[in-house]
Amino acid sequence: MAEVFAALTTSHVPAMGAAVDLGKTRDEYWRPVFEGYEFAKRWIAETRPDVVILVYNDHATALGLDVIPTFALGCGAEFEPADEGWGRRPVPMVKGDPELAAHIAQSLILDEFDLTLINRMDVDHGLTVPLSMVFGQPEAWPCKVIPLAVNVVQYPPPTGNRCLRLGHALRKAVASYDRDLRVMVWGTGGMSHQLQGPRAGLINSEFDARFMDLLIDAPEEAASIRHVDYLRESGSEGIELVMWLIARGALTPKVRAVRRFYHVPASNTAVGHLILENAI
Amino acid sequence: MKEYDDIPGTYVFDAERARQGYPLNRFCMSLMHEDNRKRFKADEAAYVGTFGLSEEQVDAVLSRSWNRMLALGGNVYFMAKLFFTDGRSVQFACAQMAGMTQDAYAQMMLSGGRSPDGNRYKREQSDG
Ligand SMILES: [Fe+2]
């Protein structure tokens, strides 16, 4: 049987992707960030997932103007890294898992999550930067990736509670797939940041630390954080953190945090990263 | 009054702003394509004029008044296409929105970012 055996969360700051692409990861500015992901690189080489369900948001690239799905599952066989206006990132094509995605779609919809299904979509930095941070620069990504795009651009995003429940349903969906697959769920985006208005540049390290504490040990409490509190405390773009709750929900109620990393800044953003394993 | 209206210096891109900003954001989105960037640069006003923006929105675009664009329904991820067309970074635009030089803004980020203290409620700011 298939199983979700671990979750990974990480910021997906575009400048981190650019640092990889331009060979700047050892520069003074970037070194502390990339050293923070050395553990993840070793860990992923040991744990070798077959499939990553990658929760991210599109940033006015493939979605966001004419069609705004709250939850959209990528069911295609492949997804091309997007041209976001400065050329495509020099990273491998993202290979999907249409069979597992179809199974998950059916399971989630019957579990009352009214998903949008997407067969063709370019994927932007929200999806490709986490892959680069964890896998580096391989010729081909070493596992299949099912994109799960969440609207966090047009207010309101789904509630934290809804995201946590979706994670629970995702766990069930994967567990009812009758092939032996080791599946991970990644939650990306955040941490605190605001990219607009006179309050641009907001960072709230205390909020971020507390969010990580709650996500690990009290996910129901993390799920009850209200949208207005994300906006006020973590900045207008910090609300991306609801996506971490999907990854958390896909694990057992108790988890082990095998990695926790935090750094300010990457460009305008606080970088946070967790690796969680089922603890039962 | 929406519950997030008391957050200072912040334009929440809600359904109402998205409706108002649709033509503005559609214009920004068009700049994803090199051909359109060329046409825009050749005659900004003529190009923007084809997207049905309000006069205020056109003026905000042509004068690169980022905060006014936000107030009129612009969203930063769409506006980023305009920053890049101008050869500018998101950080450059954030500094301008914050009314800071790019150096001062970058220095603030290196020192841990803008503190939430004093920046949670509008009333904290008017009280001084
Ligand atoms: Fe994002």
Side-chain angles (χ1 to χ4, degrees), chain A residues 60 66 155 194 196 199-201 203 226 233 268, chain B residues 3 6 10-11 13 22 29 81 105 114 119-120:
Chain A
D66 294 319
Y155 188 90
Q194 174 153 337
Q196 52 116 335
R199 205 175 69 139
I203 298 285
R226 298 165 63 236
E233 296 292 333
N268 305 289
Chain B
E3 62 177 346
D6 64 346
T10 302
Y11 302 89
F13 186 63
Y22 185 82
M29 204 65 185
K81 324 301 182 200
Y105 181 91
R114 182 186 307 283
N119 285 309
R120 290 183 173 90

mmCIF file with all atom_site columns, all heavy atoms in Angstrom, chain A residues 60 66 155 194 196 199-201 203 226 233 268, chain B residues 3 6 10-11 13 22 29 81 105 114 119-120:
data_model
loop_
_atom_site.group_PDB
_atom_site.id
_atom_site.type_symbol
_atom_site.label_atom_id
_atom_site.label_alt_id
_atom_site.label_comp_id
_atom_site.label_asym_id
_atom_site.label_entity_id
_atom_site.label_seq_id
_atom_site.pdbx_PDB_ins_code
_atom_site.Cartn_x
_atom_site.Cartn_y
_atom_site.Cartn_z
_atom_site.occupancy
_atom_site.B_iso_or_equiv
_atom_site.pdbx_formal_charge
_atom_site.auth_seq_id
_atom_site.auth_comp_id
_atom_site.auth_asym_id
_atom_site.auth_atom_id
_atom_site.pdbx_PDB_model_num
ATOM 1   N N   . ALA A 1 60  ? 0.349   34.529 -10.241 1.00 0.00 ? 60  ALA A N   1
ATOM 2   C CA  . ALA A 1 60  ? -0.040  35.236 -11.469 1.00 0.00 ? 60  ALA A CA  1
ATOM 3   C C   . ALA A 1 60  ? 0.817   34.776 -12.638 1.00 0.00 ? 60  ALA A C   1
ATOM 4   O O   . ALA A 1 60  ? 1.350   35.587 -13.395 1.00 0.00 ? 60  ALA A O   1
ATOM 5   C CB  . ALA A 1 60  ? 0.067   36.751 -11.278 1.00 0.00 ? 60  ALA A CB  1
ATOM 6   N N   . ASP A 1 66  ? -8.019  34.820 -14.803 1.00 0.00 ? 66  ASP A N   1
ATOM 7   C CA  . ASP A 1 66  ? -9.302  34.419 -15.387 1.00 0.00 ? 66  ASP A CA  1
ATOM 8   C C   . ASP A 1 66  ? -9.940  33.252 -14.660 1.00 0.00 ? 66  ASP A C   1
ATOM 9   O O   . ASP A 1 66  ? -11.156 33.113 -14.665 1.00 0.00 ? 66  ASP A O   1
ATOM 10  C CB  . ASP A 1 66  ? -9.097  34.067 -16.858 1.00 0.00 ? 66  ASP A CB  1
ATOM 11  C CG  . ASP A 1 66  ? -8.706  35.305 -17.649 1.00 0.00 ? 66  ASP A CG  1
ATOM 12  O OD1 . ASP A 1 66  ? -9.289  36.366 -17.377 1.00 0.00 ? 66  ASP A OD1 1
ATOM 13  O OD2 . ASP A 1 66  ? -7.810  35.219 -18.500 1.00 0.00 ? 66  ASP A OD2 1
ATOM 14  N N   . TYR A 1 155 ? -7.706  37.235 -1.913  1.00 0.00 ? 155 TYR A N   1
ATOM 15  C CA  . TYR A 1 155 ? -8.315  37.011 -0.616  1.00 0.00 ? 155 TYR A CA  1
ATOM 16  C C   . TYR A 1 155 ? -9.794  36.648 -0.787  1.00 0.00 ? 155 TYR A C   1
ATOM 17  O O   . TYR A 1 155 ? -10.480 37.285 -1.598  1.00 0.00 ? 155 TYR A O   1
ATOM 18  C CB  . TYR A 1 155 ? -8.183  38.287 0.216   1.00 0.00 ? 155 TYR A CB  1
ATOM 19  C CG  . TYR A 1 155 ? -8.594  38.139 1.648   1.00 0.00 ? 155 TYR A CG  1
ATOM 20  C CD1 . TYR A 1 155 ? -7.665  37.754 2.612   1.00 0.00 ? 155 TYR A CD1 1
ATOM 21  C CD2 . TYR A 1 155 ? -9.909  38.356 2.035   1.00 0.00 ? 155 TYR A CD2 1
ATOM 22  C CE1 . TYR A 1 155 ? -8.045  37.615 3.934   1.00 0.00 ? 155 TYR A CE1 1
ATOM 23  C CE2 . TYR A 1 155 ? -10.286 38.201 3.352   1.00 0.00 ? 155 TYR A CE2 1
ATOM 24  C CZ  . TYR A 1 155 ? -9.350  37.838 4.297   1.00 0.00 ? 155 TYR A CZ  1
ATOM 25  O OH  . TYR A 1 155 ? -9.720  37.684 5.602   1.00 0.00 ? 155 TYR A OH  1
ATOM 26  N N   . GLN A 1 194 ? 5.828   40.710 3.622   1.00 0.00 ? 194 GLN A N   1
ATOM 27  C CA  . GLN A 1 194 ? 4.848   41.578 2.973   1.00 0.00 ? 194 GLN A CA  1
ATOM 28  C C   . GLN A 1 194 ? 5.529   42.294 1.816   1.00 0.00 ? 194 GLN A C   1
ATOM 29  O O   . GLN A 1 194 ? 6.550   42.951 2.003   1.00 0.00 ? 194 GLN A O   1
ATOM 30  C CB  . GLN A 1 194 ? 4.266   42.589 3.975   1.00 0.00 ? 194 GLN A CB  1
ATOM 31  C CG  . GLN A 1 194 ? 3.339   43.606 3.293   1.00 0.00 ? 194 GLN A CG  1
ATOM 32  C CD  . GLN A 1 194 ? 2.270   44.170 4.210   1.00 0.00 ? 194 GLN A CD  1
ATOM 33  O OE1 . GLN A 1 194 ? 1.902   43.561 5.208   1.00 0.00 ? 194 GLN A OE1 1
ATOM 34  N NE2 . GLN A 1 194 ? 1.757   45.332 3.858   1.00 0.00 ? 194 GLN A NE2 1
ATOM 35  N N   . GLN A 1 196 ? 4.126   44.543 -0.328  1.00 0.00 ? 196 GLN A N   1
ATOM 36  C CA  . GLN A 1 196 ? 3.315   45.632 -0.888  1.00 0.00 ? 196 GLN A CA  1
ATOM 37  C C   . GLN A 1 196 ? 3.012   46.702 0.150   1.00 0.00 ? 196 GLN A C   1
ATOM 38  O O   . GLN A 1 196 ? 2.956   46.429 1.344   1.00 0.00 ? 196 GLN A O   1
ATOM 39  C CB  . GLN A 1 196 ? 1.999   45.042 -1.405  1.00 0.00 ? 196 GLN A CB  1
ATOM 40  C CG  . GLN A 1 196 ? 1.282   44.198 -0.375  1.00 0.00 ? 196 GLN A CG  1
ATOM 41  C CD  . GLN A 1 196 ? -0.062  44.757 0.026   1.00 0.00 ? 196 GLN A CD  1
ATOM 42  O OE1 . GLN A 1 196 ? -0.316  45.942 -0.070  1.00 0.00 ? 196 GLN A OE1 1
ATOM 43  N NE2 . GLN A 1 196 ? -0.930  43.876 0.503   1.00 0.00 ? 196 GLN A NE2 1
ATOM 44  N N   . ARG A 1 199 ? 3.885   49.229 4.413   1.00 0.00 ? 199 ARG A N   1
ATOM 45  C CA  . ARG A 1 199 ? 4.357   48.295 5.442   1.00 0.00 ? 199 ARG A CA  1
ATOM 46  C C   . ARG A 1 199 ? 5.232   47.186 4.846   1.00 0.00 ? 199 ARG A C   1
ATOM 47  O O   . ARG A 1 199 ? 5.583   46.219 5.531   1.00 0.00 ? 199 ARG A O   1
ATOM 48  C CB  . ARG A 1 199 ? 3.149   47.702 6.186   1.00 0.00 ? 199 ARG A CB  1
ATOM 49  C CG  . ARG A 1 199 ? 3.469   47.217 7.595   1.00 0.00 ? 199 ARG A CG  1
ATOM 50  C CD  . ARG A 1 199 ? 2.213   46.750 8.343   1.00 0.00 ? 199 ARG A CD  1
ATOM 51  N NE  . ARG A 1 199 ? 1.656   45.527 7.787   1.00 0.00 ? 199 ARG A NE  1
ATOM 52  C CZ  . ARG A 1 199 ? 1.174   44.509 8.514   1.00 0.00 ? 199 ARG A CZ  1
ATOM 53  N NH1 . ARG A 1 199 ? 1.171   44.580 9.835   1.00 0.00 ? 199 ARG A NH1 1
ATOM 54  N NH2 . ARG A 1 199 ? 0.668   43.450 7.930   1.00 0.00 ? 199 ARG A NH2 1
ATOM 55  N N   . ALA A 1 200 ? 5.588   47.300 3.565   1.00 0.00 ? 200 ALA A N   1
ATOM 56  C CA  . ALA A 1 200 ? 6.434   46.290 2.907   1.00 0.00 ? 200 ALA A CA  1
ATOM 57  C C   . ALA A 1 200 ? 7.679   46.033 3.742   1.00 0.00 ? 200 ALA A C   1
ATOM 58  O O   . ALA A 1 200 ? 8.221   46.951 4.345   1.00 0.00 ? 200 ALA A O   1
ATOM 59  C CB  . ALA A 1 200 ? 6.825   46.761 1.509   1.00 0.00 ? 200 ALA A CB  1
ATOM 60  N N   . GLY A 1 201 ? 8.102   44.777 3.766   1.00 0.00 ? 201 GLY A N   1
ATOM 61  C CA  . GLY A 1 201 ? 9.313   44.421 4.499   1.00 0.00 ? 201 GLY A CA  1
ATOM 62  C C   . GLY A 1 201 ? 9.046   43.882 5.883   1.00 0.00 ? 201 GLY A C   1
ATOM 63  O O   . GLY A 1 201 ? 9.973   43.532 6.617   1.00 0.00 ? 201 GLY A O   1
ATOM 64  N N   . ILE A 1 203 ? 8.589   41.585 8.893   1.00 0.00 ? 203 ILE A N   1
ATOM 65  C CA  . ILE A 1 203 ? 9.029   40.241 9.277   1.00 0.00 ? 203 ILE A CA  1
ATOM 66  C C   . ILE A 1 203 ? 8.669   40.071 10.742  1.00 0.00 ? 203 ILE A C   1
ATOM 67  O O   . ILE A 1 203 ? 8.900   40.973 11.552  1.00 0.00 ? 203 ILE A O   1
ATOM 68  C CB  . ILE A 1 203 ? 10.570  40.080 9.140   1.00 0.00 ? 203 ILE A CB  1
ATOM 69  C CG1 . ILE A 1 203 ? 11.025  40.270 7.687   1.00 0.00 ? 203 ILE A CG1 1
ATOM 70  C CG2 . ILE A 1 203 ? 11.032  38.741 9.706   1.00 0.00 ? 203 ILE A CG2 1
ATOM 71  C CD1 . ILE A 1 203 ? 10.740  39.129 6.749   1.00 0.00 ? 203 ILE A CD1 1
ATOM 72  N N   . ARG A 1 226 ? -6.703  32.892 12.548  1.00 0.00 ? 226 ARG A N   1
ATOM 73  C CA  . ARG A 1 226 ? -7.632  33.533 11.613  1.00 0.00 ? 226 ARG A CA  1
ATOM 74  C C   . ARG A 1 226 ? -6.877  34.303 10.537  1.00 0.00 ? 226 ARG A C   1
ATOM 75  O O   . ARG A 1 226 ? -5.760  34.764 10.762  1.00 0.00 ? 226 ARG A O   1
ATOM 76  C CB  . ARG A 1 226 ? -8.574  34.463 12.391  1.00 0.00 ? 226 ARG A CB  1
ATOM 77  C CG  . ARG A 1 226 ? -9.433  33.703 13.409  1.00 0.00 ? 226 ARG A CG  1
ATOM 78  C CD  . ARG A 1 226 ? -10.077 34.643 14.413  1.00 0.00 ? 226 ARG A CD  1
ATOM 79  N NE  . ARG A 1 226 ? -11.005 35.557 13.750  1.00 0.00 ? 226 ARG A NE  1
ATOM 80  C CZ  . ARG A 1 226 ? -10.947 36.879 13.816  1.00 0.00 ? 226 ARG A CZ  1
ATOM 81  N NH1 . ARG A 1 226 ? -10.011 37.471 14.543  1.00 0.00 ? 226 ARG A NH1 1
ATOM 82  N NH2 . ARG A 1 226 ? -11.822 37.625 13.185  1.00 0.00 ? 226 ARG A NH2 1
ATOM 83  N N   . GLU A 1 233 ? -0.146  39.916 11.545  1.00 0.00 ? 233 GLU A N   1
ATOM 84  C CA  . GLU A 1 233 ? 1.076   39.481 12.227  1.00 0.00 ? 233 GLU A CA  1
ATOM 85  C C   . GLU A 1 233 ? 2.183   39.021 11.268  1.00 0.00 ? 233 GLU A C   1
ATOM 86  O O   . GLU A 1 233 ? 3.351   39.228 11.549  1.00 0.00 ? 233 GLU A O   1
ATOM 87  C CB  . GLU A 1 233 ? 0.757   38.324 13.190  1.00 0.00 ? 233 GLU A CB  1
ATOM 88  C CG  . GLU A 1 233 ? -0.183  38.698 14.330  1.00 0.00 ? 233 GLU A CG  1
ATOM 89  C CD  . GLU A 1 233 ? 0.460   39.675 15.312  1.00 0.00 ? 233 GLU A CD  1
ATOM 90  O OE1 . GLU A 1 233 ? 1.695   39.667 15.437  1.00 0.00 ? 233 GLU A OE1 1
ATOM 91  O OE2 . GLU A 1 233 ? -0.288  40.449 15.947  1.00 0.00 ? 233 GLU A OE2 1
ATOM 92  N N   . ASN A 1 268 ? 13.068  39.664 0.492   1.00 0.00 ? 268 ASN A N   1
ATOM 93  C CA  . ASN A 1 268 ? 12.097  40.373 1.353   1.00 0.00 ? 268 ASN A CA  1
ATOM 94  C C   . ASN A 1 268 ? 11.428  39.459 2.372   1.00 0.00 ? 268 ASN A C   1
ATOM 95  O O   . ASN A 1 268 ? 10.426  39.852 2.967   1.00 0.00 ? 268 ASN A O   1
ATOM 96  C CB  . ASN A 1 268 ? 10.992  40.959 0.480   1.00 0.00 ? 268 ASN A CB  1
ATOM 97  C CG  . ASN A 1 268 ? 11.548  41.843 -0.607  1.00 0.00 ? 268 ASN A CG  1
ATOM 98  O OD1 . ASN A 1 268 ? 12.027  42.936 -0.350  1.00 0.00 ? 268 ASN A OD1 1
ATOM 99  N ND2 . ASN A 1 268 ? 11.524  41.353 -1.840  1.00 0.00 ? 268 ASN A ND2 1
ATOM 100 N N   . GLU B 2 3   ? -12.661 43.676 8.511   1.00 0.00 ? 3   GLU B N   1
ATOM 101 C CA  . GLU B 2 3   ? -11.878 43.485 9.743   1.00 0.00 ? 3   GLU B CA  1
ATOM 102 C C   . GLU B 2 3   ? -10.391 43.731 9.522   1.00 0.00 ? 3   GLU B C   1
ATOM 103 O O   . GLU B 2 3   ? -9.662  43.982 10.470  1.00 0.00 ? 3   GLU B O   1
ATOM 104 C CB  . GLU B 2 3   ? -12.130 42.100 10.361  1.00 0.00 ? 3   GLU B CB  1
ATOM 105 C CG  . GLU B 2 3   ? -11.733 40.956 9.468   1.00 0.00 ? 3   GLU B CG  1
ATOM 106 C CD  . GLU B 2 3   ? -11.921 39.589 10.126  1.00 0.00 ? 3   GLU B CD  1
ATOM 107 O OE1 . GLU B 2 3   ? -12.111 39.515 11.356  1.00 0.00 ? 3   GLU B OE1 1
ATOM 108 O OE2 . GLU B 2 3   ? -11.873 38.586 9.395   1.00 0.00 ? 3   GLU B OE2 1
ATOM 109 N N   . ASP B 2 6   ? -8.117  47.866 9.446   1.00 0.00 ? 6   ASP B N   1
ATOM 110 C CA  . ASP B 2 6   ? -7.364  48.625 10.456  1.00 0.00 ? 6   ASP B CA  1
ATOM 111 C C   . ASP B 2 6   ? -5.880  48.253 10.468  1.00 0.00 ? 6   ASP B C   1
ATOM 112 O O   . ASP B 2 6   ? -5.132  48.688 11.329  1.00 0.00 ? 6   ASP B O   1
ATOM 113 C CB  . ASP B 2 6   ? -7.986  48.428 11.848  1.00 0.00 ? 6   ASP B CB  1
ATOM 114 C CG  . ASP B 2 6   ? -7.909  46.987 12.320  1.00 0.00 ? 6   ASP B CG  1
ATOM 115 O OD1 . ASP B 2 6   ? -7.626  46.099 11.479  1.00 0.00 ? 6   ASP B OD1 1
ATOM 116 O OD2 . ASP B 2 6   ? -8.124  46.737 13.523  1.00 0.00 ? 6   ASP B OD2 1
ATOM 117 N N   . THR B 2 10  ? -1.328  48.541 4.182   1.00 0.00 ? 10  THR B N   1
ATOM 118 C CA  . THR B 2 10  ? -1.546  47.235 3.575   1.00 0.00 ? 10  THR B CA  1
ATOM 119 C C   . THR B 2 10  ? -2.812  47.269 2.715   1.00 0.00 ? 10  THR B C   1
ATOM 120 O O   . THR B 2 10  ? -3.850  47.746 3.178   1.00 0.00 ? 10  THR B O   1
ATOM 121 C CB  . THR B 2 10  ? -1.720  46.170 4.692   1.00 0.00 ? 10  THR B CB  1
ATOM 122 O OG1 . THR B 2 10  ? -0.546  46.185 5.505   1.00 0.00 ? 10  THR B OG1 1
ATOM 123 C CG2 . THR B 2 10  ? -1.920  44.766 4.120   1.00 0.00 ? 10  THR B CG2 1
ATOM 124 N N   . TYR B 2 11  ? -2.704  46.796 1.480   1.00 0.00 ? 11  TYR B N   1
ATOM 125 C CA  . TYR B 2 11  ? -3.864  46.746 0.578   1.00 0.00 ? 11  TYR B CA  1
ATOM 126 C C   . TYR B 2 11  ? -4.225  45.280 0.362   1.00 0.00 ? 11  TYR B C   1
ATOM 127 O O   . TYR B 2 11  ? -3.535  44.574 -0.378  1.00 0.00 ? 11  TYR B O   1
ATOM 128 C CB  . TYR B 2 11  ? -3.535  47.404 -0.759  1.00 0.00 ? 11  TYR B CB  1
ATOM 129 C CG  . TYR B 2 11  ? -3.095  48.845 -0.628  1.00 0.00 ? 11  TYR B CG  1
ATOM 130 C CD1 . TYR B 2 11  ? -1.751  49.172 -0.445  1.00 0.00 ? 11  TYR B CD1 1
ATOM 131 C CD2 . TYR B 2 11  ? -4.025  49.883 -0.676  1.00 0.00 ? 11  TYR B CD2 1
ATOM 132 C CE1 . TYR B 2 11  ? -1.344  50.489 -0.317  1.00 0.00 ? 11  TYR B CE1 1
ATOM 133 C CE2 . TYR B 2 11  ? -3.626  51.207 -0.544  1.00 0.00 ? 11  TYR B CE2 1
ATOM 134 C CZ  . TYR B 2 11  ? -2.293  51.502 -0.366  1.00 0.00 ? 11  TYR B CZ  1
ATOM 135 O OH  . TYR B 2 11  ? -1.885  52.807 -0.240  1.00 0.00 ? 11  TYR B OH  1
ATOM 136 N N   . PHE B 2 13  ? -5.799  42.263 -1.240  1.00 0.00 ? 13  PHE B N   1
ATOM 137 C CA  . PHE B 2 13  ? -6.322  42.011 -2.590  1.00 0.00 ? 13  PHE B CA  1
ATOM 138 C C   . PHE B 2 13  ? -7.537  41.086 -2.471  1.00 0.00 ? 13  PHE B C   1
ATOM 139 O O   . PHE B 2 13  ? -7.453  39.886 -2.691  1.00 0.00 ? 13  PHE B O   1
ATOM 140 C CB  . PHE B 2 13  ? -5.218  41.396 -3.449  1.00 0.00 ? 13  PHE B CB  1
ATOM 141 C CG  . PHE B 2 13  ? -5.595  41.218 -4.902  1.00 0.00 ? 13  PHE B CG  1
ATOM 142 C CD1 . PHE B 2 13  ? -5.890  42.306 -5.712  1.00 0.00 ? 13  PHE B CD1 1
ATOM 143 C CD2 . PHE B 2 13  ? -5.623  39.953 -5.466  1.00 0.00 ? 13  PHE B CD2 1
ATOM 144 C CE1 . PHE B 2 13  ? -6.226  42.137 -7.055  1.00 0.00 ? 13  PHE B CE1 1
ATOM 145 C CE2 . PHE B 2 13  ? -5.951  39.774 -6.810  1.00 0.00 ? 13  PHE B CE2 1
ATOM 146 C CZ  . PHE B 2 13  ? -6.254  40.869 -7.598  1.00 0.00 ? 13  PHE B CZ  1
ATOM 147 N N   . TYR B 2 22  ? -9.232  44.285 -12.322 1.00 0.00 ? 22  TYR B N   1
ATOM 148 C CA  . TYR B 2 22  ? -9.118  43.296 -13.407 1.00 0.00 ? 22  TYR B CA  1
ATOM 149 C C   . TYR B 2 22  ? -8.435  43.837 -14.667 1.00 0.00 ? 22  TYR B C   1
ATOM 150 O O   . TYR B 2 22  ? -7.468  43.233 -15.146 1.00 0.00 ? 22  TYR B O   1
ATOM 151 C CB  . TYR B 2 22  ? -10.497 42.694 -13.722 1.00 0.00 ? 22  TYR B CB  1
ATOM 152 C CG  . TYR B 2 22  ? -10.445 41.582 -14.738 1.00 0.00 ? 22  TYR B CG  1
ATOM 153 C CD1 . TYR B 2 22  ? -10.101 40.283 -14.365 1.00 0.00 ? 22  TYR B CD1 1
ATOM 154 C CD2 . TYR B 2 22  ? -10.707 41.830 -16.085 1.00 0.00 ? 22  TYR B CD2 1
ATOM 155 C CE1 . TYR B 2 22  ? -10.030 39.262 -15.298 1.00 0.00 ? 22  TYR B CE1 1
ATOM 156 C CE2 . TYR B 2 22  ? -10.638 40.815 -17.030 1.00 0.00 ? 22  TYR B CE2 1
ATOM 157 C CZ  . TYR B 2 22  ? -10.299 39.540 -16.633 1.00 0.00 ? 22  TYR B CZ  1
ATOM 158 O OH  . TYR B 2 22  ? -10.230 38.533 -17.565 1.00 0.00 ? 22  TYR B OH  1
ATOM 159 N N   . MET B 2 29  ? -0.351  41.493 -16.812 1.00 0.00 ? 29  MET B N   1
ATOM 160 C CA  . MET B 2 29  ? -0.159  40.104 -17.238 1.00 0.00 ? 29  MET B CA  1
ATOM 161 C C   . MET B 2 29  ? 0.319   40.045 -18.691 1.00 0.00 ? 29  MET B C   1
ATOM 162 O O   . MET B 2 29  ? 1.110   39.174 -19.055 1.00 0.00 ? 29  MET B O   1
ATOM 163 C CB  . MET B 2 29  ? -1.511  39.397 -17.087 1.00 0.00 ? 29  MET B CB  1
ATOM 164 C CG  . MET B 2 29  ? -1.438  37.921 -16.930 1.00 0.00 ? 29  MET B CG  1
ATOM 165 S SD  . MET B 2 29  ? -0.616  37.449 -15.403 1.00 0.00 ? 29  MET B SD  1
ATOM 166 C CE  . MET B 2 29  ? -0.601  35.683 -15.681 1.00 0.00 ? 29  MET B CE  1
ATOM 167 N N   . LYS B 2 81  ? 5.228   42.046 -13.133 1.00 0.00 ? 81  LYS B N   1
ATOM 168 C CA  . LYS B 2 81  ? 5.541   41.977 -14.574 1.00 0.00 ? 81  LYS B CA  1
ATOM 169 C C   . LYS B 2 81  ? 5.963   43.369 -15.078 1.00 0.00 ? 81  LYS B C   1
ATOM 170 O O   . LYS B 2 81  ? 6.790   43.475 -15.978 1.00 0.00 ? 81  LYS B O   1
ATOM 171 C CB  . LYS B 2 81  ? 4.348   41.486 -15.398 1.00 0.00 ? 81  LYS B CB  1
ATOM 172 C CG  . LYS B 2 81  ? 3.455   40.416 -14.770 1.00 0.00 ? 81  LYS B CG  1
ATOM 173 C CD  . LYS B 2 81  ? 4.152   39.133 -14.391 1.00 0.00 ? 81  LYS B CD  1
ATOM 174 C CE  . LYS B 2 81  ? 3.147   38.135 -13.813 1.00 0.00 ? 81  LYS B CE  1
ATOM 175 N NZ  . LYS B 2 81  ? 3.774   37.071 -12.999 1.00 0.00 ? 81  LYS B NZ  1
ATOM 176 N N   . TYR B 2 105 ? 16.158  50.277 2.595   1.00 0.00 ? 105 TYR B N   1
ATOM 177 C CA  . TYR B 2 105 ? 15.239  49.135 2.676   1.00 0.00 ? 105 TYR B CA  1
ATOM 178 C C   . TYR B 2 105 ? 16.029  47.824 2.796   1.00 0.00 ? 105 TYR B C   1
ATOM 179 O O   . TYR B 2 105 ? 15.724  46.979 3.647   1.00 0.00 ? 105 TYR B O   1
ATOM 180 C CB  . TYR B 2 105 ? 14.326  49.114 1.447   1.00 0.00 ? 105 TYR B CB  1
ATOM 181 C CG  . TYR B 2 105 ? 13.324  47.986 1.453   1.00 0.00 ? 105 TYR B CG  1
ATOM 182 C CD1 . TYR B 2 105 ? 12.061  48.143 1.996   1.00 0.00 ? 105 TYR B CD1 1
ATOM 183 C CD2 . TYR B 2 105 ? 13.656  46.747 0.911   1.00 0.00 ? 105 TYR B CD2 1
ATOM 184 C CE1 . TYR B 2 105 ? 11.149  47.093 2.021   1.00 0.00 ? 105 TYR B CE1 1
ATOM 185 C CE2 . TYR B 2 105 ? 12.764  45.694 0.925   1.00 0.00 ? 105 TYR B CE2 1
ATOM 186 C CZ  . TYR B 2 105 ? 11.509  45.868 1.477   1.00 0.00 ? 105 TYR B CZ  1
ATOM 187 O OH  . TYR B 2 105 ? 10.628  44.817 1.496   1.00 0.00 ? 105 TYR B OH  1
ATOM 188 N N   . ARG B 2 114 ? 11.138  44.772 8.877   1.00 0.00 ? 114 ARG B N   1
ATOM 189 C CA  . ARG B 2 114 ? 10.334  45.769 9.584   1.00 0.00 ? 114 ARG B CA  1
ATOM 190 C C   . ARG B 2 114 ? 9.647   45.095 10.759  1.00 0.00 ? 114 ARG B C   1
ATOM 191 O O   . ARG B 2 114 ? 8.967   44.079 10.585  1.00 0.00 ? 114 ARG B O   1
ATOM 192 C CB  . ARG B 2 114 ? 9.285   46.334 8.621   1.00 0.00 ? 114 ARG B CB  1
ATOM 193 C CG  . ARG B 2 114 ? 8.394   47.433 9.204   1.00 0.00 ? 114 ARG B CG  1
ATOM 194 C CD  . ARG B 2 114 ? 7.277   47.833 8.239   1.00 0.00 ? 114 ARG B CD  1
ATOM 195 N NE  . ARG B 2 114 ? 7.795   48.192 6.923   1.00 0.00 ? 114 ARG B NE  1
ATOM 196 C CZ  . ARG B 2 114 ? 8.391   49.348 6.631   1.00 0.00 ? 114 ARG B CZ  1
ATOM 197 N NH1 . ARG B 2 114 ? 8.494   50.277 7.554   1.00 0.00 ? 114 ARG B NH1 1
ATOM 198 N NH2 . ARG B 2 114 ? 8.866   49.581 5.419   1.00 0.00 ? 114 ARG B NH2 1
ATOM 199 N N   . ASN B 2 119 ? 3.149   48.425 14.092  1.00 0.00 ? 119 ASN B N   1
ATOM 200 C CA  . ASN B 2 119 ? 2.675   48.291 12.714  1.00 0.00 ? 119 ASN B CA  1
ATOM 201 C C   . ASN B 2 119 ? 1.483   47.349 12.570  1.00 0.00 ? 119 ASN B C   1
ATOM 202 O O   . ASN B 2 119 ? 1.207   46.869 11.486  1.00 0.00 ? 119 ASN B O   1
ATOM 203 C CB  . ASN B 2 119 ? 3.811   47.785 11.825  1.00 0.00 ? 119 ASN B CB  1
ATOM 204 C CG  . ASN B 2 119 ? 4.820   48.877 11.526  1.00 0.00 ? 119 ASN B CG  1
ATOM 205 O OD1 . ASN B 2 119 ? 4.445   49.968 11.105  1.00 0.00 ? 119 ASN B OD1 1
ATOM 206 N ND2 . ASN B 2 119 ? 6.083   48.595 11.770  1.00 0.00 ? 119 ASN B ND2 1
ATOM 207 N N   . ARG B 2 120 ? 0.821   47.077 13.711  1.00 0.00 ? 120 ARG B N   1
ATOM 208 C CA  . ARG B 2 120 ? -0.295  46.128 13.637  1.00 0.00 ? 120 ARG B CA  1
ATOM 209 C C   . ARG B 2 120 ? -1.637  46.814 13.399  1.00 0.00 ? 120 ARG B C   1
ATOM 210 O O   . ARG B 2 120 ? -2.504  46.276 12.737  1.00 0.00 ? 120 ARG B O   1
ATOM 211 C CB  . ARG B 2 120 ? -0.372  45.322 14.933  1.00 0.00 ? 120 ARG B CB  1
ATOM 212 C CG  . ARG B 2 120 ? 0.767   44.334 15.121  1.00 0.00 ? 120 ARG B CG  1
ATOM 213 C CD  . ARG B 2 120 ? 0.556   43.528 16.391  1.00 0.00 ? 120 ARG B CD  1
ATOM 214 N NE  . ARG B 2 120 ? 1.533   42.463 16.511  1.00 0.00 ? 120 ARG B NE  1
ATOM 215 C CZ  . ARG B 2 120 ? 2.715   42.574 17.109  1.00 0.00 ? 120 ARG B CZ  1
ATOM 216 N NH1 . ARG B 2 120 ? 3.077   43.740 17.637  1.00 0.00 ? 120 ARG B NH1 1
ATOM 217 N NH2 . ARG B 2 120 ? 3.541   41.552 17.175  1.00 0.00 ? 120 ARG B NH2 1
#
